Amino acid sequence: MAVELLHKQIQGFLATPPLWLNEQFGIRQFEFPGIKTEGLSYNKLPSNIRLGHQMEYVFKQLLEHAPNYRLLLHNLPIKNGNRTIGEIDFILRNLELQQTIHVELTYKFYIIHTEMSEPVHQLMGPNKRDMFFTKMEKIRNGQFPLLHSNEGAAALGAKGIDHREITHQACYKAQLFRPFDTESVHIRPLNHDCITGFWLRFDDFNSREFQQNSYYVPYKVEWVIAPHTDVPWCSHFELLLELNLRMLKENAPMVWMKKPDDTFEKFFVVWW
């Protein structure tokens, strides 16, 4: 992965707000420490892993530069015999508070589907296969208790960590996309600052109001970063041809849009 893209990924990660503040749903949000990134060198991220794992590498490298934290372990598998029953994302030591923290890291892209009743059920992946509520419950009712199971306690004990002294938190960052025809959405107790764009259906995009803009379909490794000019832009007509193929494959792409005044927006076009 090019150094420039890695730097933009890191900046995008840091700029993405947490999905909630303080504690909600019985889960304390990890407060990411202030980190000066100027002049820091980073290890190259593997390019053949999914975006979620790339964000784990970004989180790990940033935490290693945080003066008040020490990384104790990362991606520790929990096994029952030869079977892996789970994995611990991160165990950190807050040197200032003398506190051991288990952090589950999640970075997501959700559309806000306002036809659902409650905000916690409105958040879903653009392909409708990834639900916030399901992920949140998995962290709270699965990942956190895993550390206190017999297998989790033994795995941590082998690393010199007492599971009884651990505080559980989640670093849950997200970019949210409102419906195109809805300027204001109510998503409390979730963080409104996470809204970074909109979503719409193919037929809505195939309209005159979009014809004068330029477009780019970013690779998934670029989803985290802010739109910029240095990409191969295409016309509305050219994008329609690309989107038509994506719709047939039931794939909802992210799109960057550059307006004639050189301002940017980003959105998802959904197939369903």
Side-chain angles (χ1 to χ4, degrees):
M1 183 181 298
V3 173
E4 183 180 358
L5 177 57
L6 172 57
H7 179 72
K8 288 177 179 177
Q9 271 197 332
I10 290 169
Q11 296 301 322
F13 178 89
L14 289 173
T16 304
L19 188 51
W20 65 88
L21 303 177
N22 302 317
E23 183 172 333
Q24 295 289 345
F25 322 112
I27 303 174
R28 168 68 57 176
Q29 184 77 239
F30 176 72
E31 294 185 17
F32 208 90
I35 297 175
K36 295 181 179 180
T37 60
E38 295 81 2
L40 295 178
S41 59
Y42 301 97
N43 298 325
K44 185 178 179 180
L45 302 187
S47 58
N48 59 343
I49 59 174
R50 63 179 180 83
L51 183 61
H53 282 150
Q54 288 183 11
M55 292 301 97
E56 288 185 10
Y57 277 90
V58 167
F59 182 90
K60 177 177 179 289
Q61 293 188 43
L62 287 171
L63 259 295
E64 288 172 342
H65 289 299
N68 290 335
Y69 284 92
R70 182 160 60 93
L71 180 62
L72 301 182
L73 62 84
H74 167 228
N75 279 359
L76 177 69
I78 306 300
K79 294 188 174 183
N80 183 337
N82 294 323
R83 184 171 63 95
T84 299
I85 60 174
E87 188 175 77
I88 300 172
D89 281 359
F90 296 92
I91 301 291
L92 313 174
R93 183 69 175 172
N94 186 318
L95 302 178
E96 186 177 6
L97 300 178
Q98 291 297 299
Q99 186 180 51
T100 303
I101 305 171
H102 164 221
V103 178
E104 283 294 313
L105 175 68
T106 302
Y107 194 111
K108 291 291 186 180
F109 299 84
Y110 291 129
I111 67 167
I112 303 171
H113 195 25
T114 52
E115 293 177 13
M116 308 295 285
S117 58
E118 297 296 327
V120 293
H121 295 291
Q122 291 176 358
L123 270 56
M124 60 184 67
N127 291 308
K128 297 181 76 172
R129 291 191 290 265
D130 189 10
M131 311 297 290
F132 162 68
F133 186 78
T134 302
K135 179 65 176 179
M136 178 269 292
E137 284 205 317
K138 181 180 178 181
I139 292 173
R140 183 184 61 198
N141 302 330
Q143 294 298 109
F144 287 175
L146 176 65
L147 277 69
H148 308 291
S149 67
N150 292 335
E151 296 87 352
L156 289 170
K159 299 290 185 179
I161 300 171
D162 187 341
H163 73 101
R164 295 167 296 184
E165 298 178 357
I166 287 176
T167 299
H168 298 284
Q169 297 182 13
C171 181
Y172 206 124
K173 288 174 172 277
Q175 295 187 31
L176 305 184
F177 295 77
R178 60 172 175 79
F180 171 65
D181 57 357
T182 306
E183 284 296 326
S184 178
V185 291
H186 304 284
I187 58 172
R188 288 186 178 180
L190 302 169
N191 186 2
H192 198 274
D193 291 342
C194 289
I195 298 176
T196 57
F198 61 88
W199 68 273
L200 75 174
R201 293 181 169 88
F202 177 80
D203 289 345
D204 296 318
F205 180 71
N206 188 12
S207 62
R208 299 188 59 152
E209 65 181 295
F210 289 105
Q211 290 180 359
Q212 301 304 313
N213 305 315
S214 300
Y215 299 93
Y216 172 66
V217 179
Y219 294 99
K220 200 160 186 179
V221 294
E222 299 174 295
W223 282 16
V224 177
I225 72 179
H228 57 88
T229 57
D230 190 22
V231 296
W233 298 96
C234 69
S235 67
H236 180 254
F237 176 74
E238 290 170 318
L239 182 61
L240 284 176
L241 297 178
E242 169 73 14
L243 290 180
N244 190 52
L245 295 175
R246 300 284 189 119
M247 299 300 103
L248 291 173
K249 296 178 181 178
E250 297 188 347
N251 172 254
M254 178 188 284
V255 177
W256 293 356
M257 178 170 68
K258 184 175 70 166
K259 297 181 177 179
D261 62 359
D262 284 339
T263 59
F264 300 99
E265 290 193 61
K266 58 183 177 179
F267 56 91
F268 280 100
V269 182
V270 303
W271 51 268
W272 37 270

